[in-house]
Amino acid sequence: MRALLVVNPAATTTSARTRDVLAHALASDLKLEVAATEYRGHARDLARQAAEGGEIELVVALGGDGTVNEVVNGLLHNGPDPDGLPKLAVVPGGSTNVFARALGLPNDAVEATGALLDALRERSSRTVGLGLVSGTPGTEDEGVPSRWFTFCAGLGFDAGVVGRVEQQREHGKRSTHALYIRQVVRQFLAEPNRRAGAITLERPGEDPVTDLVLAIVCNTAPWTYLGNRPVYASPQASFDTALDVLGLSRLSTAAVARYATQLLRSTPERGPQGKHATSLHDLTDFTLHSQAPLPFQVDGDHLGLRMSATFTGVRRALRVIV
């Protein structure tokens, strides 16, 4: 099998030694090419070239969730074709690695490589659903390019936290859970819409859900990890269904304390609940509109401010070695 290993050398837990060990192990079973990313979007470009070239059968992403997202968007540049496109494999090299862990892979690069080699020898794979977010027709965001996501997207408060974390990392701070918690506090103190939400969720044939402060869109569960603890915003979300949404309509001090506690105590059976929480399951098509420009994120990548975004849950979008 001809394979391309895409390495993000800037990923949090990726080192040259990790890359070399992984490449040596994979080369024993595969006809392997190795490419290191050199700029933002490079992993997407490399994966697109592999998909369009017709010779590569497998693309392995070594990096964090951002690297995986870029590779997925490169592979699916011309749309889903799980039987015709190269398969995807993931080796975690970031700080959180939600997609890899949600697939059941170890969070250690060496252990994950061993699991990947076992899966290749056993010809073990699965087809996963993905989310697609696009600019909403008839709005100022209409021309925004479409973007695939593997595990989550968000409009409002949580995306603001992601943006703050990215700013801190650009100034040399390490991506740690303590850093995220500090930015959650700062975002809460600066949030102008926490008592009266600006977001409306619209879906075909249903009444709109209004006055949301944040909307978290999940393609799988858990939503994220705090250390080794999984956090479930939408416990029913799955790679085998369409998209789930958790919306919160109030973020007062009491509400934040309540929902933060519920998230920390969440389980595969129970996520946040309450009169200010809206949970929706298995949505194929819906749109989020905002009365004001709000932070927007996809797979933990802050994409700036958006007034609207249209989502599609695409079942059986990509084949993954696992």
Side-chain angles (χ1 to χ4, degrees), residues 218-275:
C218 292
N219 185 52
T220 190
W223 165 51
T224 190
Y225 290 82
L226 190 60
N228 292 322
R229 178 188 290 274
V231 179
Y232 296 88
S234 297
Q236 290 184 287
S238 167
F239 289 128
D240 298 320
T241 62
L243 302 173
D244 284 26
V245 178
L246 171 66
L248 298 181
S249 59
R250 184 162 184 157
L251 284 181
S252 63
T253 303
V256 166
R258 179 168 60 255
Y259 292 122
T261 301
Q262 289 184 357
L263 282 169
L264 291 174
R265 294 178 177 176
S266 60
T267 69
E269 292 76 35
R270 187 177 179 86
Q273 298 178 337
K275 65 179 181 179

Side-chain angles (χ1 to χ4, degrees), residues 29-234:
D29 283 32
L30 302 166
K31 296 178 182 178
L32 188 69
E33 301 175 26
V34 181
T37 60
E38 299 175 359
Y39 54 86
R40 185 166 184 163
H42 195 187
R44 179 198 61 225
D45 296 342
L46 291 167
R48 178 181 176 182
Q49 292 166 12
E52 295 178 345
E55 296 181 352
I56 298 295
E57 301 169 79
L58 172 69
V59 177
V60 184
L62 171 58
D65 289 308
T67 304
V68 175
N69 180 276
E70 286 194 15
V71 167
V72 166
N73 275 275
L75 289 174
L76 272 63
H77 178 79
N78 295 314
D81 182 5
D83 296 322
L85 289 172
K87 299 177 180 65
L88 172 70
V90 178
V91 177
S95 58
T96 310
N97 308 304
V98 178
F99 181 66
R101 295 163 83 177
L103 287 169
L105 292 170
N107 198 34
D108 175 81
V110 175
E111 292 181 12
T113 302
L116 169 58
L117 290 171
D118 288 342
L120 287 169
R121 290 164 187 154
E122 296 168 5
R123 300 182 181 274
S124 175
S125 66
R126 65 176 292 188
T127 304
V128 299
L130 297 172
L132 179 66
V133 59
S134 308
T136 305
T139 72
E140 63 183 57
D141 294 317
E142 181 175 5
V144 175
S146 299
R147 179 85 170 249
W148 293 92
F149 60 96
T150 64
F151 66 93
C152 84
L155 181 66
F157 183 86
D158 80 299
V161 174
V162 170
R164 288 175 178 272
V165 169
E166 285 192 7
Q167 288 179 343
Q168 293 297 310
R169 293 191 66 183
E170 289 173 359
H171 288 92
K173 298 292 181 64
R174 284 182 56 82
S175 178
T176 64
H177 299 296
L179 175 63
Y180 273 88
I181 291 171
R182 288 197 299 272
Q183 302 317 310
V184 167
V185 173
R186 290 173 180 172
Q187 182 66 24
F188 171 73
L189 295 175
E191 176 61 57
N193 302 303
R194 64 174 183 254
R195 293 187 181 275
I199 301 170
T200 296
L201 185 152
E202 296 180 350
R203 49 191 169 137
E206 302 287 346
D207 292 335
V209 180
T210 61
D211 302 325
L212 299 176
V213 178
L214 64 80
I216 297 172
V217 183
C218 292
N219 185 52
T220 190
W223 165 51
T224 190
Y225 290 82
L226 190 60
N228 292 322
R229 178 188 290 274
V231 179
Y232 296 88
S234 297

